[in-house]
Amino acid sequence: MGRYYYQRYLKLKKAMQQIPFREHFVNDGDGDDDDDEESRAGAAALVFVCAPPSYHNKRSSSTTSRTKLLSLLLLSLLSCTFILTPHALSLFSFADSFGAEDEGLVAADVNAPLCSSISNGTICCDRSGIRTDVCIMKGDVRTNSASSSIFLYKNTNGFINYVSSMVEEKELQHEKIRPYTRKWETSVMDTIDELDLVVKKENETANHHCDVVHDVPAVFFSTGGYTGNVYHEFNDGILPLYITSQHLKKKVVFVILEYHNWWIMKYGDILSRLSDYPPIDFSGDKRTHCFPEAIVGLRIHDELTVDPSLMRGNKNAIDFRNVLDQAYWPRIRGLIQDEEREAREKLSLSPSSDPSFKNVKEVQGDQSKKPKLVILSRNGSRAITNENSLVKMAEDIGFQVQVVRPDRTSELAKIYRALNSSDVMVGVHGAAMTHFLFMKPGSVFIQVIPLGTDWAAETYYGEPARKLGLKYIGYTILPRESSLYDQYDKNDPVLRDPSSVNEKGWQYTKTIYLDGQNVRLNLRRFQKRLVRAYDYSINRISQNCHHQSQ
C-alpha cells in the first residue's frame, strides 16, 4: 500500500513540475522568491494528494509568514504518512528519508519484513504464500457477524484526526480474506465465507459496544471446504491451527467460521490442548466479542507436517504428536479401566474351572511380547480383497494383528490407542493413511500404492511419515494386483502408463484409480515387506527391553 501511494506521489510530482506554483506560495517579503522549483513542486504534489479539495481552489491572498505555510505543509505530509502508509513507514523513518533518492525509498519499503512488527490500530496481511493468507489485527478488535466483519478501532488523535475528519474517511483500511488453507484452489475457496477486516476511527465505537470482552488474542479460521475428509481435517485445519497458535500457550480463543458441532465433538480433545477457552461460532454467536489482537487465517507449512525452521522454539511434527498424546491419553486410560472392570466382572461371574478365564494374564503377557500390526481396512474402492489371507499370513509370521475400520463416526481416541500401541501399520493409499500421525516415532508404516497413485502416496504420506520419524515402506502394486487388470487390455495406458492418464486431469485419476480400483495382494511378494517389518520390530522391542532393564 505504501509503495502504491509513493509511486502515485512521484507521478504527480512530475506532472506538477510543468505547472507554475508561484501563486500557491506566499512571498514573505525578503525578496528570495526563487526557491528550488523541484522542492516546491514536490511539496505541492503532496498537498494535492493529502489535503481537502478546498485547499487547492482557494487562492491565498494572505500575508501569513512563510514559516506558518511550511508548518502546514509538514503537517499535511506527516498526516499522509500515517494514514496512507501505516505498514511501510513510521514517522521518523519517513522524515529521515524525505530528502533521499527515489530508489532508496522504494527499496526500504520493499525490503521491510512483512508483518514483522505491528502497532496498535493496524492490520497487516501476509499474502505471499501460495497456500494461505494470514492477517493480523492489533488493538481494539470487535466482531460483527451480521456483516461478516471484524472491526479494528483506531485512536486517530492529534493532526491525524484533523486530516481524517477533513476527508470524512470512515474506513482507514479495508482488507478481505477467506480464512482457509487452500488458497490456490479457486473452486473450494469460492465456498469459504469471506471476512471484511476494517480499520475505523475510534469515535465510531459509541454505537458498537462490547458484549463479551476477552483479554487474550483470537484466531479466526474456517472449518468449511473439504472438512469431512480426515486428511483435509488434519492437513488443512488441525495442523495449521497448531502451527498458528501453539506459541500462545493456550491463551487464545478460537473463532470458527462454518462451525460444525460434529467437528467440535471429534476434535474437542485436541482443541482443549491448544486453548483454555471454549471455541466461538462466528455466525451463530451474534454478540460482539472484543479482543486485544486477532490472527485471521491459519499458517501452513507442507503436507501433514511442521517445519521447525518456521516455528518458534523449532517445534516439529513430533511436538505436534506430543500434543495428540496429551489430548487422547485421558480418554484412553478411561477405556482401559472400563475394559479391566468388565474383565473382572466376567471372571467373577464365571466358574473357577472355566478354562476360558484361568489363563487371562498369561495370554495377555504372551501377546504383549509379539510385535503388533494394525491393518487399516477400507470399504468400497481401494479395498484389499484378500484381507483375511493377509491377516492369517501376518499372524503366521509372528504378529499380533488388529484390523481397524475407521469412518467419519469413529472415535479418534480409539484409533489413536490402536496405532499408538502398534509396531507396524499397513493400509492402502487414501485419506485414512493420515492416521500415521498417531504412530510412535520409530514404528513401521507400510503403504500399499495402487496403480496411478505413486506421486500422491509419496507426497501426502510417505515423505511426511519420514519427517515424523517413522520407518516408511512403500509397496507399489503390479498391474496383476489391481482389479483394473480384468477391465482393460493388457497394453492399455491405464495399466502400462498411469502417468499419461493422470496428465489428462484430476477427474481421470479420481474416476479410474481412486474410485474404480481395488487391490488383491500378491501375498508371496508382500510377505517380504512384512518379514522385514517383523525383524525390524523384534530388534526394536529387544533394544527397548534392554534399555529398560539397565
Side-chain angles (χ1 to χ4, degrees), residues 440-455:
K440 290 180 179 177
S443 303
V444 181
F445 169 27
I446 302 177
Q447 180 177 203
V448 177
I449 305 173
L451 296 181
T453 65
D454 300 65
W455 179 86

Side-chain angles (χ1 to χ4, degrees), residues 21-235:
F21 282 91
R22 182 177 301 275
E23 62 181 358
H24 291 281
F25 287 83
V26 180
N27 192 316
D28 59 2
D30 63 0
D32 184 15
D33 59 353
D34 56 347
D35 298 84
D36 181 87
E37 288 296 319
E38 183 174 355
S39 298
R40 294 166 60 184
L46 282 169
V47 174
F48 181 80
V49 173
C50 301
S54 59
Y55 181 85
H56 309 287
N57 299 332
K58 183 177 180 180
R59 294 187 56 175
S60 174
S61 58
S62 172
T63 59
T64 306
S65 70
R66 185 168 184 152
T67 301
K68 290 184 178 180
L69 179 57
L70 290 176
S71 298
L72 180 58
L73 292 177
L74 179 60
L75 180 65
S76 299
L77 173 60
L78 295 178
S79 300
C80 267
T81 302
F82 277 91
I83 294 173
L84 301 179
T85 60
H87 307 305
L89 300 168
S90 67
L91 169 62
F92 296 105
S93 63
F94 193 91
D96 290 341
S97 61
F98 182 60
E101 295 295 324
D102 295 346
E103 292 80 0
L105 282 171
V106 175
D109 182 50
V110 170
N111 295 333
L114 204 54
C115 301
S116 59
S117 62
I118 179 170
S119 58
N120 279 342
T122 304
I123 301 175
C124 183
C125 291
D126 181 354
R127 303 187 187 275
S128 61
I130 190 174
R131 293 173 177 265
T132 188
D133 290 334
V134 178
C135 293
I136 298 175
M137 310 172 72
K138 189 172 182 181
D140 184 359
V141 179
R142 308 189 184 193
T143 63
N144 188 292
S145 60
S147 63
S148 295
S149 301
I150 308 173
F151 295 121
L152 175 59
Y153 289 94
K154 181 174 184 177
N155 181 8
T156 55
N157 54 15
F159 55 83
I160 297 178
N161 186 54
Y162 167 72
V163 173
S164 62
S165 64
M166 286 195 298
V167 298
E168 297 181 351
E169 186 174 28
K170 293 185 178 181
E171 294 184 359
L172 303 180
Q173 187 180 352
H174 192 156
E175 304 283 351
K176 291 181 178 290
I177 185 172
R178 298 181 190 270
Y180 191 63
T181 56
R182 300 190 76 81
K183 172 182 170 181
W184 78 94
E185 200 167 349
T186 305
S187 59
V188 70
M189 290 303 291
D190 286 344
T191 70
I192 303 299
D193 291 345
E194 187 174 58
L195 287 174
D196 288 287
L197 314 182
V198 182
V199 179
K200 291 191 171 186
K201 292 181 293 185
E202 190 177 54
N203 57 14
E204 295 181 18
T205 62
N207 298 322
H208 195 55
H209 65 284
C210 294
D211 296 314
V212 184
V213 178
H214 304 269
D215 59 0
V216 297
V219 172
F220 291 76
F221 65 98
S222 174
T223 54
Y226 292 129
T227 297
N229 175 295
V230 69
Y231 163 78
H232 289 288
E233 287 167 8
F234 271 93
N235 186 71

